Amino acid sequence: VSKRNIWKSVSFSTWLVKKSGLSFTKTLYICSMIFNTDTAKKTAELLLQINAIKLNPQTPFTWASGWKSPIYCDNRITLSFPPIRNYIREEFSKHIEKEFGKPDVIAGVATGAIGIGMLVAEYMGLPFVYVRPEPKKHGRQNQVEGFLQKGQNVVVVEDLISTGSSSLLAVDALKAAGANVKGMVGIFTYGFDVAAENFKKANVTLHTLGNYDTLLEEAVAKQYITEKELETLREWRKSPSTWNQ
């Protein structure tokens, strides 16, 4: 087994650091990981094919947060391509059961993950609920929409992980409703340090079909980007909030 695969398959890793004749052990918590390398490569290939992920280092996109970015991801596009949405649905279903056991309920995070979450629930033969960013201002003032009983085991489906803040608000809402949240799965993650820290603080396990590093490998291999553009994309990920400012 390669060192790379070992790194991706564990939740806790330790390594020895030697400095000035002294040594100490530091523990790194990995709260997020891809399900496996093959799935991550295939996911990257499909998302690039249908322009669900666009890479444009020369003309950066502006996110809602105001960040400038050489990448833009809209995984809702996958719903318009039956073979691709079926692939995502089946990979999610297989890995959810393997990693978490079969839950009682699948929850989608509104609005981006409602569609794919419902497909996963249907494929697994499970009830589905979705979680609003905040409670409605009228009617029953629900934040969790659908039938959910206290104590039920729930796996949350998300389409995209950036900082993780909005995703974890959905987890908070489900817990407030009495659910036992087993973990979260997502189609793609940028792999930001802040996201890793947020999921660690919340003690929520995250698994994704694809990630940023594998995406870049596939983008270079399939000639979506040049080696020079690859370096730009790597630099952006180091400090996305200040890049190109």
Side-chain angles (χ1 to χ4, degrees), residues 162-221:
S162 52
T163 66
S165 297
S166 60
S167 305
L168 291 168
L169 286 176
V171 171
D172 291 341
L174 287 163
K175 288 181 175 179
N180 176 28
V181 177
K182 303 289 286 183
M184 182 179 295
V185 298
I187 297 175
F188 182 77
T189 176
Y190 292 110
F192 294 145
D193 290 341
V194 65
E197 186 63 27
N198 286 338
F199 276 88
K200 177 184 174 181
K201 285 180 181 177
N203 195 28
V204 174
T205 300
L206 170 68
H207 293 281
T208 61
L209 298 178
N211 67 355
Y212 191 72
D213 292 332
T214 307
L215 174 81
L216 295 187
E217 291 173 9
E218 285 297 298
V220 171

Side-chain angles (χ1 to χ4, degrees), residues 3-17:
K3 290 183 179 179
R4 182 179 179 184
N5 287 338
I6 291 172
W7 177 256
K8 288 182 176 179
S9 65
V10 297
S11 294
F12 292 90
S13 294
T14 58
W15 70 95
L16 192 64
V17 181

Side-chain angles (χ1 to χ4, degrees), residues 42 111 123 158 228 230:
K42 183 66 175 178
T111 58
Y123 190 78
E158 180 63 288
K228 183 177 181 181
L230 172 64

Side-chain angles (χ1 to χ4, degrees), residues 106-127:
I106 296 293
V109 180
T111 58
I114 292 177
I116 195 64
M118 192 160 52
L119 288 171
V120 171
E122 189 276 333
Y123 190 78
M124 297 183 75
L126 295 173

Side-chain angles (χ1 to χ4, degrees), residues 75-213:
N75 287 328
R76 289 168 292 194
I77 292 173
T78 61
L79 297 172
S80 299
F81 295 85
I84 294 175
R85 76 183 184 215
N86 289 344
Y87 171 80
I88 293 171
R89 174 193 69 180
E90 290 161 24
E91 286 297 308
F92 266 153
S93 301
K94 175 175 67 178
H95 290 298
I96 284 171
E97 193 154 359
K98 180 180 177 182
E99 297 293 337
F100 303 110
K102 192 166 184 176
D104 301 310
V105 178
I106 296 293
V109 180
T111 58
I114 292 177
I116 195 64
M118 192 160 52
L119 288 171
V120 171
E122 189 276 333
Y123 190 78
M124 297 183 75
L126 295 173
F128 175 76
V129 301
Y130 70 87
V131 188
R132 297 175 178 275
E134 58 185 23
K136 286 194 298 185
K137 298 289 194 297
H138 57 279
R140 298 172 65 185
Q141 300 182 331
N142 291 337
Q143 185 168 2
V144 178
E145 295 287 6
F147 183 72
L148 179 68
Q149 293 180 298
K150 290 184 178 180
Q152 285 189 304
N153 293 323
V154 177
V155 171
V156 183
V157 174
E158 180 63 288
D159 66 325
L160 175 66
I161 306 295
S162 52
T163 66
S165 297
S166 60
S167 305
L168 291 168
L169 286 176
V171 171
D172 291 341
L174 287 163
K175 288 181 175 179
N180 176 28
V181 177
K182 303 289 286 183
M184 182 179 295
V185 298
I187 297 175
F188 182 77
T189 176
Y190 292 110
F192 294 145
D193 290 341
V194 65
E197 186 63 27
N198 286 338
F199 276 88
K200 177 184 174 181
K201 285 180 181 177
N203 195 28
V204 174
T205 300
L206 170 68
H207 293 281
T208 61
L209 298 178
N211 67 355
Y212 191 72
D213 292 332

